[in-house]
Amino acid sequence: MRFWSKKNTNYPDFWKNYLSLFTEKIQKQTIGNTRFIAFDTETTGFDYSSDRILSIGAIAIKNNAIDVSDQLEIYLEQEIFNKNTVEIHGIRKNNDLAKITEKEALKIFITYIGNSVLIAHHAEFDRKMINKALARQGLGALKNKVLDTGVLFKNTKHLIYLRDKYNTQYSLDELCNDLKISRSDRHTASGDAFITAIAFLKILAKLQKNLKTETKYLFKYK
């Protein structure tokens, strides 16, 4: 992996600008003043090496509320086709969606997220898919801190026993059932990002009784 430095002139400006955001001293962040970004990727499959991202959806959370004016939805050009996953997300090779290259999509996504805290359900998958795409473009990995709603969900008070005994992995559908969240637009990147944002706020409400107000305390949950 290549590491960025001020002397490196090979990286595009958007990546240099992104990396510069993490060299500055960050002021104390509270949950209220932190910009969180709930995001999701729809992909051709689940293999990090051979599969590709078809779409990215993201939406911001500020001041403990979803900011619908601050969201992102992009579709990527892709030659890979997997009829099994098309049945889930509905994104076909030759449909009418406006699509952009992987490089342009990453530029838009990276510029959009900045140094925000990222939130995803089963976040490691989405993070790795983004990082693989970045690597194909000769860039480094995401530097943002990432929270997983599945992990946070397991730490809400009524699930601690199950977490300790079974180390259960909860699906996004199970979160929707438990937290009474509508599944409208499920299995679209923007729809799942919105659902994840709602889930995060509902979980946060359960956790905040025993949680200090600084954002860093959210990362104590494993």
Side-chain angles (χ1 to χ4, degrees):
M1 181 183 298
R2 293 187 293 179
F3 294 89
W4 176 80
S5 72
K6 292 183 179 179
K7 294 181 181 180
N8 193 319
T9 59
N10 295 322
Y11 287 135
D13 287 342
F14 82 88
W15 187 251
K16 292 179 183 179
N17 293 337
Y18 168 72
L19 292 176
S20 71
L21 297 174
F22 298 90
T23 63
E24 304 168 1
K25 185 176 181 180
I26 299 176
Q27 300 297 318
K28 182 184 291 186
Q29 288 184 301
T30 66
I31 292 171
N33 69 21
T34 298
R35 181 178 183 248
F36 297 95
I37 298 293
F39 82 106
D40 180 73
T41 61
E42 293 298 328
T43 65
T44 59
F46 304 104
D47 188 299
Y48 297 122
S49 297
S50 60
D51 283 303
R52 298 292 186 268
I53 298 170
L54 292 168
S55 64
I56 305 172
I59 191 164
I61 301 164
K62 304 173 187 173
N63 299 315
N64 293 310
I66 297 171
D67 185 353
V68 295
S69 68
D70 187 2
Q71 58 181 301
L72 176 72
E73 182 178 45
I74 46 182
Y75 293 88
L76 285 69
E77 296 173 354
Q78 191 52 252
E79 292 302 316
I80 295 175
F81 176 80
N82 183 335
K83 66 178 182 180
N84 295 320
T85 56
V86 167
E87 292 176 1
I88 298 173
H89 51 64
I91 302 173
R92 300 179 183 277
K93 182 177 178 181
N94 297 315
N95 57 18
D96 295 328
L97 295 170
K99 299 174 183 177
I100 57 179
T101 64
E102 181 178 79
K103 182 177 181 178
E104 184 63 22
L106 290 172
K107 177 180 178 180
I108 293 171
F109 179 69
I110 291 299
T111 302
Y112 171 75
I113 63 174
N115 61 357
S116 301
V117 175
L118 302 181
I119 304 166
H121 191 73
H122 297 161
E124 190 61 16
F125 173 77
D126 297 285
R127 176 164 55 179
K128 281 189 175 181
M129 289 301 293
I130 295 289
N131 283 342
K132 283 290 186 180
L134 288 168
R136 284 193 293 273
Q137 300 301 324
L139 304 173
L142 288 172
K143 293 182 68 66
N144 306 69
K145 292 183 177 179
V146 182
L147 291 166
D148 190 320
T149 46
V151 173
L152 293 174
F153 182 69
K154 288 191 292 184
N155 284 276
T156 54
K157 185 176 179 180
H158 69 294
L159 289 171
I160 288 177
Y161 172 74
L162 288 176
R163 180 202 71 204
D164 290 341
K165 186 171 182 179
Y166 300 111
N167 193 29
T168 307
Q169 296 294 317
Y170 293 92
S171 69
L172 190 55
D173 287 322
E174 288 174 310
L175 263 69
C176 288
N177 289 337
D178 188 272
L179 300 172
K180 306 297 188 293
I181 301 172
S182 169
R183 295 187 222 186
S184 177
D185 287 333
R186 180 79 173 92
H187 295 303
T188 67
S190 58
D192 284 357
F194 185 66
I195 289 171
T196 299
I198 296 172
F200 173 68
L201 289 176
K202 284 178 173 281
I203 293 167
L204 194 59
K206 293 176 180 291
L207 293 175
Q208 278 189 312
K209 294 178 181 178
N210 300 311
L211 187 67
K212 296 182 180 180
T213 59
E214 290 182 52
T215 304
K216 67 181 181 181
Y217 291 104
L218 285 171
F219 295 93
K220 72 177 185 178
Y221 298 109
K222 302 294 183 181

